Amino acid sequence: MGNLFIDSLLKATWVETLANICLLILCLYPVVGSFFWFAGSLSYRFLKTNKRDTDWQNIPANRQPMITIMIPAHNEEVMIEETITYLFEKLNYQNFEVLVMNDGSTDHTAEIIARLQDRYPRLRTVEIVKNKGKAHAFNIGMYFAKGEYILSNDADTIPEPDALMKYMNFFTHARDMNTSAVTANMDVQNRTTLLGKSQTVEFSSIVGVIKRSQTSVNDSMYAYSGANTLYRKQFLIDVGGFRQNRATEDISIAWDHQMIGAVPRFAPNVVFHMNVPETLRDLYHQRKRWAQGGTEVWLTNIKKFLRHPIAHRYQLSMFVDSTLSIVWSFFFVITGVAFLLLMAYFALTGNDERLFHGFVMSFIFVTFELFAGFMQLLAALILDHHGAKLKYLIFAPLYMLFYWMVNPITVVMTFIPALKTILGFGSGTWVSPKRRSLQGQEKPK
């Protein structure tokens, strides 16, 4: 009996110890993650040598590879003319065409494209009768694209004039044979609202830190930028194109490429300007789509990592981070609800001491998170555009609090829809967000 009691005590202690370790990991995940991205971005800056980030070369016209700029368009009458006009008149590259995939538009998108074709002979269009999603439009467009490289360009996206020239510097050397795609550095165009300014900080954090960190560690990348990425067409064909039933084609194609051993690249010197949501409703729907897309790729690839961790060792850090992110999201929501209920109970029962203790502990924890996030954002704003965005640092607290609140909530809310997608019930049909012409607006600085 004594031995049985001791064994049960040791077993309980072991279980409790393991549970405490797991709880500690989940509590510290946001803080440790922020410092990891902070260290990774510094590693990219000071240890990873990539002269193409700063020392790119102009390619003579007779040696320029053919690029197809593909624009998926669903009801884009507000922005499509501005974007196409810019591409043909401002880009420093000669050997390209623009292919618009008119995905079941019911507005005047088709008429605008037809009118522009008289002005720009290299403008082509494919009419898709029924809207079946952005990935479906891309897959059809691949077979009409004349270029051996395909640039995905959203209808509201403006790449810098030298973008194509800089992009091609990542494909022209012998060491680039396994490069599947190069994704650019996102910048916010519509900064006239508080949300726009806050997302300027956010995109700097995501692009300026996380993608630098991922590429510096083992040339991995969680997601391409769907708004502006240059793909080698052969690698799109090798993975069977874009997954049409996924919420985010840019996340799924990035994982598909890396799971076959292809190498993604991040080009911080290639800048493109994009529209971001200007209302909380639109922003929330965007984040739900992103969260669902991230969960979908995690569910899609979990068996591959568990069965062949050595074969996928270069993507293992990305998979571990995704796993922790999803688990932490559930942990955050559950413990957050429990904390609020507990604080309400203490307030109603007059237990002021426990109420004060709870607020103090939560304040300490949030302070650590804010400090870690602040270091990540500070590194991002310094590295991105040589510190030109430091003036937006004042919006960092709003970004951090909002992001850490919304991100786990959207992950939890979209987990079941993501699971349904993996089981074969997903749909890629999309609705174009509301656009607003950027003519006459303040240009990003």
Side-chain angles (χ1 to χ4, degrees):
M1 285 292 293
N3 291 335
L4 289 174
F5 175 76
I6 294 174
D7 289 341
S8 62
L9 182 63
L10 290 174
K11 183 177 180 181
T13 303
W14 179 83
V15 171
E16 290 175 359
T17 301
L18 181 61
N20 289 333
I21 292 174
C22 291
L23 287 174
L24 182 64
I25 292 173
L26 290 173
C27 288
L28 294 180
Y29 168 71
V31 177
V32 175
S34 292
F35 278 111
F36 177 82
W37 302 130
F38 173 73
S41 64
L42 295 182
S43 173
Y44 182 94
R45 172 62 179 84
F46 296 106
L47 300 179
K48 191 177 181 67
T49 302
N50 195 341
K51 293 184 178 180
R52 289 174 295 189
D53 285 355
T54 56
D55 186 21
W56 56 278
Q57 303 294 326
N58 271 299
I59 304 173
N62 60 350
R63 294 176 50 199
Q64 294 175 1
M66 178 66 174
I67 297 176
T68 295
I69 302 177
M70 194 178 300
I71 304 176
H74 176 68
N75 294 339
E76 299 286 2
E77 64 180 4
V78 174
M79 291 294 301
I80 194 70
E81 183 167 1
E82 292 179 29
T83 301
I84 292 174
T85 301
Y86 176 92
L87 294 175
F88 279 112
E89 297 186 2
K90 299 296 183 181
L91 290 184
N92 174 30
Y93 202 88
Q94 284 72 50
N95 193 19
F96 75 92
E97 64 169 351
V98 175
L99 178 63
V100 180
M101 307 304 299
N102 188 19
D103 191 17
S105 296
T106 56
D107 61 357
H108 298 289
T109 298
E111 291 90 331
I112 294 172
I113 296 171
R115 173 166 51 80
L116 291 174
Q117 283 181 302
D118 295 332
R119 190 191 312 172
Y120 304 115
R122 288 179 292 164
L123 173 61
R124 301 164 57 218
T125 184
V126 174
E127 296 291 329
I128 302 175
V129 176
K130 185 177 180 180
N131 168 24
K132 292 186 178 181
K134 189 175 180 180
H136 176 260
F138 269 130
N139 288 339
I140 292 178
M142 281 196 304
Y143 295 98
F144 290 90
K146 296 179 180 179
E148 56 182 309
Y149 298 91
I150 296 177
L151 177 71
S152 65
N153 195 98
D154 282 357
D156 63 339
T157 298
I158 302 295
E160 64 168 299
D162 291 325
L164 296 186
M165 200 70 72
K166 291 179 179 180
Y167 267 133
M168 288 312 307
N169 275 256
F170 285 82
F171 288 101
T172 55
H173 304 89
R175 63 179 179 271
D176 302 322
M177 292 182 62
N178 204 34
T179 299
S180 54
V182 180
T183 195
N185 197 345
M186 293 179 284
D187 197 10
V188 174
Q189 177 93 332
N190 51 332
R191 302 180 190 173
T192 57
T193 64
L194 181 61
L195 275 181
K197 291 179 172 65
S198 301
Q199 288 172 87
T200 299
V201 177
E202 178 183 8
F203 281 121
S204 290
S205 175
I206 291 174
V207 176
V209 169
I210 296 180
K211 287 189 177 179
R212 280 182 173 91
S213 299
Q214 290 171 340
T215 54
S216 69
V217 173
N218 51 18
D219 285 329
S220 63
M221 189 177 296
Y222 176 77
Y224 299 137
S225 168
N228 205 259
T229 294
L230 185 64
Y231 298 92
R232 196 191 298 267
K233 183 165 68 173
Q234 185 57 52
F235 273 105
L236 291 176
I237 296 172
D238 288 345
V239 296
F242 295 88
R243 294 178 183 262
Q244 296 181 185
N245 63 341
R246 295 296 191 259
T248 52
E249 84 293 336
D250 47 357
I251 299 178
S252 63
I253 194 68
W255 282 62
D256 288 342
H257 277 161
Q258 290 167 91
M259 295 304 283
I260 65 169
V263 178
R265 299 292 184 193
F266 172 54
N269 67 320
V270 182
V271 180
F272 70 92
H273 306 287
M274 60 179 291
N275 263 337
V276 295
E278 295 183 301
T279 66
L280 288 174
R281 179 178 179 275
D282 289 342
L283 183 64
Y284 177 70
H285 285 298
Q286 180 195 62
R287 300 313 153 95
K288 282 183 64 178
R289 185 172 61 85
W290 289 2
Q292 181 174 336
T295 303
E296 286 171 355
V297 296
W298 181 77
L299 291 170
T300 300
N301 295 288
I302 187 170
K303 284 185 178 179
K304 298 176 184 178
F305 280 104
L306 294 178
R307 290 178 178 177
H308 307 287
I310 303 300
H312 301 297
R313 60 190 179 278
Y314 294 113
Q315 295 80 41
L316 189 59
S317 61
M318 186 174 66
F319 174 75
V320 171
D321 180 64
S322 297
T323 303
L324 287 174
S325 178
I326 293 172
V327 175
W328 176 81
S329 296
F330 279 91
F331 172 78
F332 175 84
V333 171
I334 293 171
T335 56
V337 172
F339 174 79
L340 292 176
L341 291 175
L342 194 59
M343 290 298 100
Y345 172 76
F346 290 149
L348 293 174
T349 57
N351 195 339
D352 297 334
E353 182 180 353
R354 296 297 299 273
L355 185 66
F356 177 75
H357 179 74
F359 278 116
V360 169
M361 294 302 296
S362 63
F363 178 79
I364 293 173
F365 179 71
V366 170
T367 300
F368 274 105
E369 285 195 341
L370 288 175
F371 177 75
F374 180 82
M375 295 298 293
Q376 174 183 336
L377 285 168
L378 182 61
L381 294 174
I382 291 175
L383 291 174
D384 214 22
H385 305 300
H386 306 288
K389 296 181 181 178
L390 275 172
K391 62 183 179 181
Y392 294 103
L393 187 61
I394 190 175
F395 299 100
L398 177 63
Y399 151 69
M400 288 185 288
L401 290 174
F402 183 80
Y403 180 80
W404 277 334
M405 292 291 290
V406 171
N407 186 57
I409 293 173
T410 54
V411 169
V412 172
M413 292 190 65
T414 59
F415 189 85
I416 297 301
L419 187 60
K420 288 182 179 179
T421 296
I422 300 304
L423 296 176
F425 301 100
S427 173
T429 303
W430 60 314
V431 177
S432 180
K434 293 181 180 179
R435 310 293 195 195
R436 183 159 58 89
S437 174
L438 298 176
Q439 288 185 350
Q441 283 193 21
E442 175 189 1
K443 295 298 181 183
K445 297 178 181 178

